[in-house]
Amino acid sequence: MTTARKQLISLTDTPYYHCISRCVRRAFLCGEDKNTGQNFNHRKGWVEEKLLSLTQVFAIDVCAYAVMSNHTHTVLFIDEDTAKGWSTKEVLERWHQLFKGTLLTQQYCCGDEIPDYLMSSLLETVEVYRSRLMDISWFMRLLNQSIATKANKEDNCTGHFWEGRFKSQALLDEAALAACMAYVDLNPVRANVAKTPESSENTSVKQRVISARKATQPTLLLPFIGNPRQTMPKGLPFELKDYLELIELTGRCIREDKTGYIDKHQPALLTRLNIKPENWLTLSKDFRKLFHGAVGHSDVLTDYCEHKGLKRRANVNRCTKLLA
C-alpha cells in the first residue's frame, strides 16, 4: 500500500525531498513519441518555467530537477524558517499570486481597516496559507495542474495528464542528498538523450554550468554554499566546484557504451561523504530503483521512523551498504 503524504514529510528530520511525477501510461506527453511521430518537447519548457516561478512564491527552493519525456524529477528544499518570518501581509500577497483568497484577505491587503472581531479569523486564515506555502503537496499540485490544463487545452481533450499523485521520498543526510541530486541531474545522460551533463536540456545541472562559466550561481536554484560550518547561510552543504566535477566524472562513467569506473583519486566530495566510488556509481544510476522511501544512514533513518511512527525501517540494509 502507498503511504499517506503526511507520513512521508517530517521537517524535524529533513527539509530535503525527492519528488517524481509520471505521465499517464508513461506516454511521451512531454517529448517525442516514436510510434505516432508527434513531438511535445516544448512542454518540457512549460514544466521548467512553472517549476522555477513557483519558488518565487512558495518557501520552497529547487536543488535539482530534470524534465524528461514522460516524467519529471525534482529535489526540493522546504525553507520553514523563511516562511515563519513572513509578515501577515507578505503571506497574503504571496497567496494572492496563486488564488483570490477571501474578501477579508483582499480587504486587508488593500489597506482597509479590519474590525477587531474579524482579526482572529483573518489571522487563522493567514496561518493556513503560511502552512500551505511551505507544503510540497500544494507546490506539486499547482505545478502539475497547470501543465495538465495547458496540455489538455493544446490537445483539445480532457482527462488525466499525470499518473496519479506525485511520489516523494525524504533525503535524510548529505550523502542521500548528493546521491539523489546526481541521480536527477544525470537522468538525460543515462537515458542517452544527452552526451554530457552540461548539454542536457531542461535540467538544473545545465543551468548551474551556464552560470558557473560566468562565475555566478543561478538565482532561481538553491545555491551551493560550501561545506558545513558553524554559521551556515541557506544553501546546499557542498562546494559547487566539487559537485560539478563529480557530476562530470560520473556522467562519463555511466555512458552505456563505456565501462564505468571512478579511480582511486576520487573527487573531494566523495571523500568527504565517505562514499566508495563503486557505490557512488550504483547510487547515481539506480537511486530510484534501490530506494522506495526515506534515504539516509541507519541512525538518521531510525530517528525518522520513530518520529513518523513507522514500525519498519525500509531501505536500512541498502543504506548501510551503499552510504557507508
Side-chain angles (χ1 to χ4, degrees):
M1 291 179 64
T2 56
T3 305
R5 193 77 63 224
K6 64 182 179 181
Q7 284 290 92
L8 298 174
I9 307 299
S10 172
L11 294 182
T12 302
D13 296 288
T14 181
Y16 297 102
Y17 294 86
H18 173 212
C19 301
I20 311 102
S21 297
R22 292 190 179 277
C23 295
V24 287
R25 298 179 299 280
R26 302 195 177 186
F28 293 87
L29 300 182
C30 286
E32 183 177 356
D33 190 333
K34 295 180 180 179
N35 294 321
T36 64
Q38 290 183 293
N39 191 305
F40 299 108
N41 274 327
H42 60 283
R43 293 177 180 173
K44 296 179 183 178
W46 296 353
V47 177
E48 186 174 33
E49 182 180 359
K50 185 65 176 180
L51 171 69
L52 297 177
S53 69
L54 285 175
T55 64
Q56 304 305 291
V57 181
F58 281 78
I60 294 177
D61 294 284
V62 175
C63 306
Y65 69 86
V67 185
M68 305 299 287
S69 295
N70 60 3
H71 67 284
T72 65
H73 288 275
T74 55
V75 178
L76 303 176
F77 170 79
I78 303 174
D79 190 357
E80 185 179 14
D81 290 339
T82 293
K84 288 182 176 179
W86 288 336
S87 66
T88 295
K89 187 173 183 181
E90 188 171 4
V91 170
L92 294 179
E93 286 176 343
R94 286 174 176 271
W95 187 256
H96 289 164
Q97 293 181 55
L98 305 170
F99 301 99
K100 291 182 179 180
T102 67
L103 179 59
L104 194 59
T105 62
Q106 292 285 356
Q107 289 175 333
Y108 182 89
C109 287
C110 289
D112 296 346
E113 186 173 345
I114 307 298
D116 290 342
Y117 69 91
L118 290 177
M119 277 303 296
S120 60
S121 176
L122 175 69
L123 294 177
E124 286 177 5
T125 300
V126 168
E127 291 312 307
V128 170
Y129 292 168
R130 189 191 307 276
S131 176
R132 291 175 180 176
L133 287 170
M134 56 178 178
D135 188 323
I136 283 180
S137 289
W138 277 87
F139 184 93
M140 294 299 295
R141 168 190 169 186
L142 288 172
L143 170 63
N144 288 347
Q145 263 189 359
S146 65
I147 302 305
T149 300
K150 201 170 180 179
N152 282 350
K153 184 177 180 180
E154 183 179 60
D155 292 339
N156 192 28
C157 70
T158 59
H160 291 289
F161 183 86
W162 300 104
E163 185 182 76
R165 295 188 68 192
F166 71 97
K167 295 178 174 61
S168 68
Q169 58 186 157
L171 306 173
L172 301 177
D173 54 27
E174 291 179 19
L177 175 61
C180 187
M181 287 180 61
Y183 169 78
V184 170
D185 276 330
L186 290 169
N187 249 251
V189 175
R190 284 196 313 277
N192 204 28
V193 295
K195 295 298 182 183
T196 61
E198 64 270 20
S199 67
S200 54
E201 297 293 334
N202 310 111
T203 62
S204 53
V205 69
K206 181 173 183 177
Q207 298 299 323
R208 293 194 188 279
V209 170
I210 290 173
S211 295
R213 287 170 177 164
K214 303 174 185 176
T216 62
Q217 295 201 51
T219 56
L220 297 181
L221 295 175
L222 190 66
F224 287 82
I225 46 92
N227 296 332
R229 51 195 182 277
Q230 196 165 21
T231 54
M232 285 276 287
K234 185 179 81 170
L236 293 162
F238 314 120
E239 293 288 349
L240 173 62
K241 179 178 177 295
D242 290 346
Y243 180 76
L244 292 181
E245 176 188 351
L246 183 58
I247 291 298
E248 172 67 17
L249 180 57
T250 308
R252 294 179 185 278
C253 290
I254 65 174
R255 286 279 303 279
E256 294 299 328
D257 57 342
K258 295 183 179 180
T259 301
Y261 178 69
I262 296 178
D263 64 26
K264 61 182 179 181
H265 302 294
Q266 58 185 333
L269 186 55
L270 278 192
T271 303
R272 184 170 76 76
L273 296 178
N274 196 31
I275 299 178
K276 296 176 182 178
E278 58 271 24
N279 287 352
W280 174 259
L281 287 176
T282 301
L283 288 165
S284 58
K285 287 192 294 183
D286 301 317
F287 189 90
R288 184 58 186 161
K289 292 180 182 177
L290 291 167
F291 305 113
H292 300 280
V295 186
H297 287 87
S298 59
D299 53 346
V300 292
L301 191 58
T302 298
D303 290 342
Y304 172 81
C305 291
E306 288 179 357
H307 293 154
K308 301 308 295 177
L310 302 176
K311 296 180 180 179
R312 181 171 172 267
R313 292 186 303 165
N315 300 324
V316 66
N317 291 332
R318 281 179 174 167
C319 286
T320 300
K321 178 181 178 181
L322 294 171
L323 298 177

